[in-house]
Structure formats: structure tokens, C-alpha cells
Amino acid sequence: MNIIEIRKHLQSTVFDHETLASILRGKVSNINAKIAYMVNKGELIRFKKGLYALGKEYQTTSVDTISLANTLYAPSYVSFDYALSYYGLIPERVYEITSATMRMKKEFDTPLGRFTYKPIPLQAYALGIDWLYDDIHGGKLIATAEKALCDKIRADRGIGRLSQQKLRAYLEFDLRIDMELLFALDAALISTIATAYKSSNLKNLSKLINRRKQSA
């Protein structure tokens, strides 16, 4: 059974060992040897043990990095710099896919790039997450712009406690946040996240945005 025949049976761009085994069962004598052979030939991409995609030459649809990030290490949602770039809040294009998780920190170096996972407290985890869906990749989880920024600020332990004035300078010059987009964020959601994180910096972020909206 060749890779073109296997492709006809696949329902998604990323699939696990059991999916491959169910397709190959009864068609080859040694399923694991066949999978290893296809990986070595570049017909399959291996992201971690038991998780694969078709090689680039055989893909009809490219792998979605957000969906892959969710699948590599679950539960998790894409956040931090990658999500800030996704929403246009920072000017840089981010190549490392950064996620938040309730589990221990983790890194995966894959053919599609590095995927990193940072732990956050349970009480803050479920706040400010968007579930996106399309017919090709299915559902995927990404932080809202508000949550991504809160996660980023909370993770930067070196900044200490900032006044609203110093926080604004940090956002504008250190993180290079688009200030027009910043002031359009939902201050109430940020306040809720700040309470869950028990963060004075995030409370000041909510106040900073509210003060700007009230003066506009």
C-alpha cells in the first residue's frame, strides 16, 4: 500500500499511529516498519512519537500550526508572542509557536518549527480562550488578544510591579505593542483575568485601557 492510497483514507491533516495502523492493517506484514520506512522516505512527517502528517509533497492542504500545537501537548491553547503576532498587536512575525498549558513546561522541535508550552495557574486557564473552527482542520484553541497579552505580561517575571505610567512605557517600547489596538481591548475581560492571576500589573493594564476610553 503506497502513500497515495493511504492519503485517500485520511480524514485530517494530522493523524496518530492508530489511524495509520487501522489503514495498514491487513495490507502490510509489519505496520511499524512500514511507518518508519515512510518517515525515512519523507512520505510522512513525524512530529513526536505516534503523531504524523503527510510529507509536504503529498499534502493537499498544509498543516495548521495552531491545530498542531493543540494536538502535540494537551490540554493547551496558543498564546503569548505567537497569538500577539496573530492579532497584529506586535509587528514581528513569530516563528516559535507558544502555548499555555495546565501541565509542566514542554518543548518540541519539529519539521514545522519549535512548539513551546508554558504552565499557567488552573484558575486562569479557561478565561479568554477562543475556539475557532473550519471544515478542513476542525476546531482549534487560541487565546483572545486580551488573554495573550495577559499571559505574556504575567510570564515576564523580570519587570516587577509597574505603575500605569511605567506599564504603558513597557508595552509601547519593550513589547512594541500597537497602542491603538491595545486601547480597543476589553478592559473588563482583562480585569477578570487579572483577578484570576492575582496580578497588580494586569489590574493596572485594565485601568490604563479604561482611563483612555473614558477620556476619548
Side-chain angles (χ1 to χ4, degrees), residues 18-19 29 80 89 107 124 155 169 210:
E18 182 51 41
T19 299
S29 57
F80 304 102
L89 276 164
E107 288 185 2
N210 263 331

Side-chain angles (χ1 to χ4, degrees), residues 90-103:
I90 58 176
E92 296 83 8
R93 184 174 180 182
V94 176
Y95 294 95
E96 185 172 335
I97 299 87
T98 46
S99 298
T101 181
M102 293 182 287
R103 300 171 66 187

Side-chain angles (χ1 to χ4, degrees), residues 179-195:
M179 300 307 283
E180 185 176 341
L181 292 179
L182 173 78
F183 291 122
L185 296 180
D186 184 342
L189 175 56
I190 292 172
S191 180
T192 300
I193 296 168
T195 299

